Amino acid sequence: MSADTPAVPSVFEPDGPGREALDTLYRFVAALELTPTVAVHSIDRDGLVRFWNHSCENAFGIAARDALGRPLTQLISHPERQEEFASTLEAIWVARKSPPPRDWLVQRPDGQRRWMYSTHFPVLRNGEPQQIFCMEVDISKRKVDEQALIDAGTNFRQLFERSNDAIVLIEGNAIIDANPASLKLFRCADKNGLVGKTLLDFSPPNQPSGDSSIMADATQSAQNFIDGNRRYEWEFRLPDGSAFWAEVLLTSVTLDHEFLSYAVLRDISARKATETTLHMAAQVFENSRDAIAITDRAHRVLAVNHAFTVITGIAALDIVGAELPNLRTGAHEPSFYQQIWDYVAANDHWEGEVWSERKGGEEYPVWVALTAIRDSDDQVCNFMAILSDITDRKRIEERHRHLAEHDFLTDLPNRVLFLDRLHQALAAARRQHTKVAVMFVDLDRFKGINDSFGHHVGDAVLKEVAARLTGCVRGVDTVSRQGGDEFVVILADIGGADQAAHVAGSVMQAVAQPVQHGDGIKVSLSVSIGISIYPGDGEDLDTLLKHADIAMYHAKQNGRNAFSFFNAEMNAHVIERAQMEKALRQALANQEFELAYQPEINIASGMAIGVEALLRWRHPERGLLLPAEFMAVAEESGLMLPIGDWVLRKACRQAAVWRDAGVPVVMAVNLSTVQFMHDHLVESVDAALAASGLEPAYLDLEITEDVIMSNNEKAIATVKALRERGIGLTIDDFGTGFSSLSYLRRFPLSKLKIDRSFVDDITRQPADAAIILAIIAVARSLKLRVIAEGVETAEQLRFLQQHGCDAYQGYYASMAMPEPDLTRRHR
């Protein structure tokens, strides 16, 4: 055995086999070795001795090391009954049952003869006998006493009264006399408690074997009549309900010219309990799934069970007689194992996880429990080793550890393992005075992939990106997925910024290759990368991560598909952004937002037919801020949903006020992509209309071309749900995106809005004029109304009027203001 543990051996740890199970094994197996009055040995199918306990050494004068592995017939013989003994054993192998216990005359190698009372039983595994265990008690002295009774003649009465064994005289079946020892055994105050009764009166209806006591008694009596004497074991049941086992010697005798029988009864309850324990111990020993080895005090193996051979691949005969430490591998010096034995000698027990080696050389993890077995004099006489193969447990533990430290989708290290790797990389860099780079890698516009093609495509893209990132770095580096579309790379022991820039360029080039999905979808990608370098950009883990994140944010701000190194200006910008986010949250709580309204004018009539609600922020320090100054931060911080919901409810209430004042106009409200794609948009719109009392026909929601381009079934369903309620849907800033006419046909829209960039140069740029004409033509083909924004001159208005534009808005008619005059006619 070899250990993966420190030089000082470890003791019991809670992740080993159950303490209770080990204790049970110990008690059963120790019972085989420690029983002082019962000699226990076993043989296999070839008649070779497999087990030989300490009592066997005393009974037969043969040490265990000389008995194990040798044929039993070479160790002890049965004078004049050797063939009968061999037949008895063969019957056990065939019948798989224990024969009745009996006396055997045994001759030892030194010539001594002893009478042994023997109990044989097979030990089964999967229903087949593997060994025959024999439990033997030396009854030589008892034999002398019994013969004295038989030969006593006229002295019988004297021996009868003085015997320490219970003796009853029987005429027919009835007890006619009982000695003092029998009164004590049967707990009778005087002979009247026994005389006139039969032994059956003190017996249960059935014996433990299942046989009727009446039938079993008749069988024993008949055999006694034939043989003249009969020895058997019997369970008695006393009137108070208690029970005891007795060994009964039933003998026919002529006494005072009368033919009688006498029964000598010896209480063997303790021995029967011992036999039961030993029988169970033998079964446990043979059938345990854990390997068990028993050694002598010199650590030489005396016996091993079947599981030992299964687990180690070492046959019993190959290991018996060898020292248990020879099982070790070369991972530790011999002194390590000596420390273990020293610990057991001092504490009686040691447990720990070690590595062992199978017969073929394969190393495997094993949990070992070593226990000292002490004799009645409290001296160590044996050791027991229980070995549990924990290969599967270690594999499961490793799998759980892997799952706990790796991303479930990409199998890359997750944040837990990443932080540990970064900690190690920084520690090494401090010792070796080298540099470490941290790269934040974020996929550009990844959400659009999920929205357009579904999450199954998005997951496939993430796995492909993970593989490409791993291919761009060295084995000493770490690529981790932090969640979503964010990856972080640790470049350990690098030369400087040039090397980090080279890796970043390789990553951008690798990711830029289109990802071909199995559904025939080709996805193009780009990444934004932020880089911080130890020690210049930070000397601790948190600072480096923060600065890499800041640098990545700036790469996105500067147009995406780029990488950026951290610098102080970036940090200042991030601080400013954080302050802006905090102020935005306070603005919501403090009701600092307000709406301005810009009229939408019908070109034909010159009257206001609608207004567009425009968000303003009255900052307590900076004054009135337009959306361009804070909208990006609102979107990135997740505040667009509550802000957008506030705008929607406020605008609906104002439209209802104008309606009630006799100026019914359509209220146009811009929806961000995040707001439009939210699961509860329709519910929010319904709630705003219900709270204000505004009819759906007076609400127009403006969405961007990005929503149309997603061709997303969810977006289509949302548009349809809104249109079914009578709410108008306008494509805002039309012409600046890449709308497809086929996509537009799928959406039940109501209006297109021409972006102000085309209106600005309408009189100087023929191309812009052509685009406006094309937009109007598209609208007419789809039966949609057209509105132009940003109209500031009469010339621009005249052009739009001449080419069929329906409405306009801009400074030429009115600036955005809190309370515009909606009753004025415009020309």
Side-chain angles (χ1 to χ4, degrees), residues 419-434 436 534 539-541 544:
L419 292 176
D420 181 65
R421 296 269 183 88
L422 182 54
H423 177 77
Q424 294 180 27
L426 293 178
R430 291 187 189 100
R431 292 193 304 268
Q432 301 167 11
H433 304 289
T434 55
V436 176
Y534 167 88
E539 297 188 359
D540 62 89
L541 183 148
L544 286 169

Side-chain angles (χ1 to χ4, degrees), residues 488-518:
V488 187
V489 180
I490 303 171
L491 302 179
D493 190 18
I494 63 167
D498 290 345
Q499 187 175 347
H502 175 75
V503 175
S506 298
V507 168
M508 292 176 62
Q509 184 177 3
V511 174
Q513 302 300 316
V515 177
Q516 186 72 43
H517 191 263

Side-chain angles (χ1 to χ4, degrees), residues 606-715:
M607 295 301 296
I609 56 173
V611 293
E612 180 180 2
L614 300 172
L615 181 64
R616 300 291 185 263
W617 177 13
R618 193 162 296 279
H619 195 283
E621 298 173 358
R622 298 171 57 184
L624 193 65
L625 301 182
L626 299 179
E629 299 177 79
F630 61 84
M631 195 61 72
V633 176
E635 290 180 347
E636 292 166 6
S637 62
L639 291 172
M640 273 311 302
L641 285 177
I643 292 176
D645 191 55
W646 179 86
V647 171
L648 184 61
R649 287 184 280 109
K650 176 70 173 177
C652 287
R653 284 199 301 270
Q654 184 59 52
V657 169
W658 282 327
R659 178 203 60 192
D660 294 343
V663 188
V665 290
V666 174
M667 179 64 71
V669 178
N670 289 281
L671 296 181
S672 69
T673 302
V674 172
Q675 190 177 5
F676 182 83
M677 297 304 296
H678 193 264
D679 291 339
H680 302 296
L681 172 65
V682 176
E683 290 89 333
S684 297
V685 172
D686 287 342
L689 290 171
S692 63
L694 185 68
E695 296 86 345
Y698 289 102
L699 179 63
D700 186 271
L701 300 176
E702 298 188 358
I703 58 178
T704 64
E705 286 183 89
D706 290 343
V707 174
I708 303 299
M709 277 300 294
S710 70
N711 195 28
N712 186 289
E713 294 299 330
K714 178 182 176 182

Side-chain angles (χ1 to χ4, degrees), residues 20-91:
E20 183 178 345
L22 286 176
D23 286 345
T24 300
L25 279 174
Y26 168 77
R27 288 195 302 272
F28 281 139
V29 175
L32 293 171
E33 192 59 44
L34 288 178
T35 305
T37 60
V38 182
V40 183
H41 57 84
S42 75
I43 60 171
D44 60 19
R45 195 64 179 84
D46 297 324
L48 303 180
V49 174
R50 290 282 303 279
F51 184 77
W52 193 266
N53 77 342
H54 188 67
S55 295
C56 278
E57 296 184 356
N58 296 329
F60 302 113
I62 304 172
R65 61 178 176 273
D66 297 325
L68 295 170
R70 294 180 59 188
L72 180 64
T73 54
Q74 293 181 5
L75 304 176
I76 54 177
S77 61
H78 299 76
E80 302 176 3
R81 292 191 174 183
Q82 192 63 37
E83 291 185 4
E84 183 181 354
F85 180 75
S87 298
T88 298
L89 295 182
E90 184 60 30

Side-chain angles (χ1 to χ4, degrees), residues 550-571:
I550 291 171
M552 186 271 292
Y553 169 77
H554 276 268
K556 283 192 175 294
Q557 290 293 98
N558 293 333
R560 296 182 171 87
N561 192 27
F563 67 86
S564 177
F565 286 91
F566 172 79
N567 58 49
E569 290 76 14
M570 291 181 182
N571 193 42

